[in-house]
Amino acid sequence: MFRYLTNNTRAAAVLSLLVVGAMTLEIMMPTLAFGMMDPAENNPEQSLNEAVTDTVEEPSPTETTIETGEAVTGLEASTEVNTTEVTTDDDTAPVIETEQGDSDASDPPSLDTEEDPSLLEIKTDNNAALENNATSSAVTGENSAGGETVTINTGDAIAYADIINVVNTNIVNSTGLISFINDTLGYENFDLRSDFEIAYGEFNTAQSTTACGSVCDDQQTNLDLQNDATVNNNVTVLADTGQNTASGDTTTINTGNAYASANIINLANTNIVDSQYLLLIFNNFSSYAGNIVLPNSSFFDRFLSAGGGISDSDVSLHNEATVNNNSATIANTGNNSASGADTTINTGNAYASSDTTNLVNQNLIGATSFSMLIRVHGDWSGSIQGLPEGLTWSETSEGIRITSIYDSRGIPISTGSISGYNQATVNNNVQVFALTGDNKAAGEEVNINTGSAYANSSIMNIVNTNVIGSNWSNLIFNIYGNWSGNLTFGQPDLWLAISAVSEDQPIMPGSKVSYTFTVFNRGDTTAREVSLESLFETGALQFTSGQESASNARWQLGDIKAGDTREITYNATVSSLLGADSISALPLTARVDSINEDSNPDDNEDTVVINIGRLRSEGGSATSFPAHFDITKSADKSSTKSGDVVTYTVEFFNRGGQLYDAMLVDSLVDEDYNVVLTQSWPLGEIKNWETVTIEYDVKFDDSLAPGKYTNYAQLIGFHGSRKPIYQTPYESRVASHVVSHNLKPAGEVLGISTSSCEPYLTQYLRIGRQNSASEVRKLQIFLNEHISSKLPVTGFFGPLTDAAVRTFQRQYSAEVLGPWGIMSDTGYVYYTTQKTINELVCEGARSFPLHPEQEAEIKRFQFLRY
């Protein structure tokens, strides 16, 4: 639920809206899953949201336990007062006079079309007095208990307030976008290219010859803009899990985490004439792994050369502003007291931050301005990629700032007279408290453990801004955590295709093969330091160039500009070890990458297969290429009771040469490695690039003692030659699956084992990232064995792997999606997905609890979303 909350306490307060053009105002904020109080239903002087777990006073029995749940409250207020938009057309030139201080919001604007068509007069008189009194509090603490054995456990407390005020905005013959974004999933790229195209798609400013556009060349515009704004914000946010009192022989107090956040944005007295604009504020209340993507260099070449200029104009602008920011941000986990013979106090971490940005009394006339500020409250491990000429970046005390290094002047526009008087008073009084401490306990044995406290306030004031005949961009990004992504201007999109030809037909061992790689950059920016890598079976090919090993070759292609195509041919010799009198399919897979992240990595890879040798005949070479199998094993059950039937599936794929007299051997053993059942299947000859799947059932009956039973599968045979006398034994790796038979649930002991089971996955993975190939291969093997995904084990995280991960997340939604509070799968192998996979691989021998920082990030995500 999302509500607009407006509090006007003065008699002069007005909410008039005159719209004759098209301004876009977007407010993107989290959808709340709890109720909100409407100020109209309470004290009109105050909007109040509270989520409180009441103080509990218990008698003193032998054992007393108090458990509180989680408290979450959020207040979102968005107020738009006195927005005037005027767009002239080619048929009329009205005189528009709006005295908005005396008008009603529901009255339509009056347009007089009988005036002199050569003169357009626009007069606005905006008076606004806006006051917001807001309190948002979430309390799970303030509990009291006594007895012999006393335990108080409080849940987390989450409280926030987001207030946005847009007051006295006048927009004449201008287009643009104002967007506030307060909720993002911290792993997705944030692509702003479409927003820039909306705001600046046609660059009309550079083409204008008069204030009203190219359709009224003889018209003169006189602007008289009068704005008077008073904005008062009184905001208090409290999240409290502490202030608990306990007494007894054995007393324990455990408090949850506290999260408190206040965000205030004031946009007051803004005049935009014959201009294009983009104002964006982005808040990410957690660590962020995605990229921020802006338009490419060619866009900024046009943007920076598109200033309109002013000629034959009388510009008189007077700005007065008073801005008072009073902010108190407090995070406290201490001030705890414990008395007794044996006392322990462990306090959580305390984080407090306060950011204030003032953009006051700015006049931008006939020029271009681009400003972008990125504030990272943790560590940034990414980079800036493709910075266009005309922009520069620097590290400042405020954060990373990107600005235009010069003002561009374009074709002058004749605007007539522009006069204005802007007066603004903005008072922000903000208090933010995140408290987990102030706990008191007494007894013989006393333990106090407090959660962490997170308090943050962010205030932005954009006051008395005049933008005339200009392109104006102001972007601010707040990332409340670590940032591992990049800031990139445009993105390359490399595409690869491979072909192979040989003069020898058929291609034989020792033949020369020419491989042609076609690389096309379909993106909108240059791909830097492009590399091409080919993978093939060990020893199968030998290239005459590039950095080569036994199973791959790598070439550096330099930079490839957007829209350019690079075609390269490299020659290779086929291994003489392949059999001449048998046909072997020899695949080569290649991938192209650059140091820039690719916008669509799915088309960066291609495979071509050539056939080596001819049909077998008497005589000829007996040598063949070594076999090489990928093998996976899965089952439809991981636990059984007597009488259950388990369906097993074994699948293997031959990447190498032929395997002769192949046999699949399958054994079921108990916990002491006693063989319970052995089966085998003769398979004859398995050719190169062939996939074999075997499915069979095993019944677990009463004769089996309770315990864990492991099923092992292995492929054996002979390879290396078609003649038995020269063949050598082959054994594939062993694939396994564990079934728990007639075992009672043992969830109560999970997580306390001292088993040395190591984490199976150690990196975070997702489609579109430069993932570790070995980690992806492990992920693919797990998905094949656990949910029968039947993925090719390539080490490449493409659409098939993404779909399999999503299937896994849906099957384990409680473990993977539940902690985040989301219903839909993401495809990201992140905290909870990795944790669940690792615990399944360890089969209950070890749990992998999340770190406090990870839990805090999940809570912050829920904090915003819910």
Side-chain angles (χ1 to χ4, degrees), residues 524-535:
D524 60 359
T525 192
T526 298
R528 304 289 182 185
E529 299 180 24
V530 178
S531 62
L532 172 66
E533 183 174 13
S534 64
L535 302 174

Side-chain angles (χ1 to χ4, degrees), residues 367-598:
T368 291
S369 175
F370 177 86
S371 176
M372 181 177 185
L373 178 64
I374 304 175
R375 289 189 288 228
V376 182
H377 293 255
D379 297 325
W380 182 31
S381 58
S383 62
I384 297 177
Q385 298 181 351
L387 184 70
E389 293 185 10
L391 297 183
T392 185
W393 75 277
S394 61
E395 294 187 39
T396 69
S397 58
E398 297 177 290
I400 303 164
R401 186 174 291 279
I402 297 95
T403 57
S404 50
I405 60 178
Y406 57 86
D407 286 339
S408 301
R409 304 285 174 169
I411 302 172
I413 61 173
S414 177
T415 311
S417 67
I418 302 174
S419 62
Y421 179 79
N422 299 307
Q423 179 172 311
T425 300
V426 177
N427 297 307
N428 297 303
N429 299 300
V430 181
Q431 299 182 86
V432 180
F433 302 95
L435 308 175
T436 66
D438 287 312
N439 301 283
K440 296 178 175 58
E444 290 296 318
E445 182 179 348
V446 177
N447 291 282
I448 298 177
N449 303 297
T450 72
S452 295
Y454 302 84
N456 174 78
S457 68
S458 179
I459 302 172
M460 175 182 292
N461 302 300
I462 301 177
V463 179
N464 296 347
T465 300
N466 302 290
V467 180
I468 301 171
S470 303
N471 288 321
W472 177 49
S473 287
N474 201 318
L475 294 81
I476 296 180
F477 290 78
N478 293 308
I479 299 174
Y480 297 95
N482 298 326
W483 182 27
S484 58
N486 301 316
L487 172 64
T488 175
F489 291 82
Q491 283 190 306
D493 179 9
L494 296 174
W495 173 91
L496 175 66
I498 314 172
S499 62
V501 296
S502 176
E503 295 181 356
D504 296 339
Q505 293 298 330
I507 302 174
M508 300 296 289
S511 291
K512 306 294 184 183
V513 180
S514 294
Y515 287 89
T516 299
F517 304 87
T518 302
V519 183
F520 175 37
N521 184 359
R522 302 195 295 190
D524 60 359
T525 192
T526 298
R528 304 289 182 185
E529 299 180 24
V530 178
S531 62
L532 172 66
E533 183 174 13
S534 64
L535 302 174
F536 43 86
E537 193 59 42
T538 302
L541 295 169
Q542 183 175 3
F543 280 89
T544 58
S545 63
Q547 300 174 350
E548 188 176 12
S549 69
S551 60
N552 67 46
R554 186 179 180 90
W555 302 273
Q556 300 299 326
L557 307 183
D559 297 346
I560 300 179
K561 295 181 178 179
D564 282 3
T565 299
R566 189 80 56 83
E567 187 174 275
I568 320 102
T569 298
Y570 298 112
N571 297 318
T573 302
V574 177
S575 172
S576 59
L577 294 177
L578 287 173
D581 291 334
S582 60
I583 297 178
S584 300
L586 176 59
L588 177 143
T589 298
R591 182 169 180 84
V592 62
D593 288 296
S594 73
I595 61 172
N596 309 92
E597 185 163 338
D598 201 276

Side-chain angles (χ1 to χ4, degrees), residues 20 36 90 233 241 349 402 460 480 510 533 609 707 811 843:
V20 193
M36 293 178 60
D90 50 353
N233 297 301
T241 66
N349 297 320
I402 297 95
M460 175 182 292
Y480 297 95
E533 183 174 13
V609 179
Q811 290 186 12
E843 299 174 346

Side-chain angles (χ1 to χ4, degrees), residues 501-742:
V501 296
S502 176
E503 295 181 356
D504 296 339
Q505 293 298 330
I507 302 174
M508 300 296 289
S511 291
K512 306 294 184 183
V513 180
S514 294
Y515 287 89
T516 299
F517 304 87
T518 302
V519 183
F520 175 37
N521 184 359
R522 302 195 295 190
D524 60 359
T525 192
T526 298
R528 304 289 182 185
E529 299 180 24
V530 178
S531 62
L532 172 66
E533 183 174 13
S534 64
L535 302 174
F536 43 86
E537 193 59 42
T538 302
L541 295 169
Q542 183 175 3
F543 280 89
T544 58
S545 63
Q547 300 174 350
E548 188 176 12
S549 69
S551 60
N552 67 46
R554 186 179 180 90
W555 302 273
Q556 300 299 326
L557 307 183
D559 297 346
I560 300 179
K561 295 181 178 179
D564 282 3
T565 299
R566 189 80 56 83
E567 187 174 275
I568 320 102
T569 298
Y570 298 112
N571 297 318
T573 302
V574 177
S575 172
S576 59
L577 294 177
L578 287 173
D581 291 334
S582 60
I583 297 178
S584 300
L586 176 59
L588 177 143
T589 298
R591 182 169 180 84
V592 62
D593 288 296
S594 73
I595 61 172
N596 309 92
E597 185 163 338
D598 201 276
S599 62
N600 179 23
D602 295 342
D603 57 7
N604 290 32
E605 189 172 280
D606 194 22
T607 299
V608 64
V609 179
I610 60 174
N611 293 310
I612 312 298
R614 56 178 175 265
L615 291 177
R616 185 179 304 178
S617 61
E618 292 300 325
S621 173
T623 304
S624 66
F625 202 62
H628 184 176
F629 282 85
D630 297 327
I631 181 170
T632 61
K633 184 177 184 63
S634 60
D636 64 345
K637 295 181 180 66
S638 58
S639 62
T640 60
K641 56 183 182 296
S642 295
D644 284 352
V645 174
V646 179
T647 300
Y648 289 97
T649 302
V650 181
E651 181 176 279
F652 39 90
F653 169 65
N654 187 6
R655 295 179 178 274
Q658 283 87 345
L659 182 67
Y660 302 100
D661 296 325
M663 178 177 292
L664 177 65
V665 179
D666 189 273
S667 300
L668 184 68
V669 302
D670 62 17
E671 294 179 75
D672 295 324
Y673 295 96
N674 298 310
V675 177
V676 176
L677 175 68
T678 298
Q679 301 180 89
S680 61
W681 292 266
L683 302 174
E685 179 182 339
I686 302 177
K687 297 180 179 179
N688 174 264
W689 218 245
E690 183 176 354
T691 298
V692 178
T693 300
I694 294 178
E695 187 175 283
Y696 60 96
D697 295 333
V698 175
K699 184 177 181 179
F700 286 70
D701 56 27
D702 293 335
S703 65
L704 290 177
K708 291 185 178 180
Y709 291 84
T710 305
N711 188 276
Y712 295 100
Q714 186 178 32
L715 186 68
I716 61 175
F718 298 90
H719 68 150
S721 174
R722 68 180 179 84
K723 294 184 177 182
I725 192 174
Y726 299 113
Q727 290 174 353
T728 57
Y730 171 83
E731 295 180 354
S732 73
R733 72 172 186 87
V734 177
S736 63
H737 184 274
V738 178
V739 171
S740 298
H741 180 61
N742 281 341

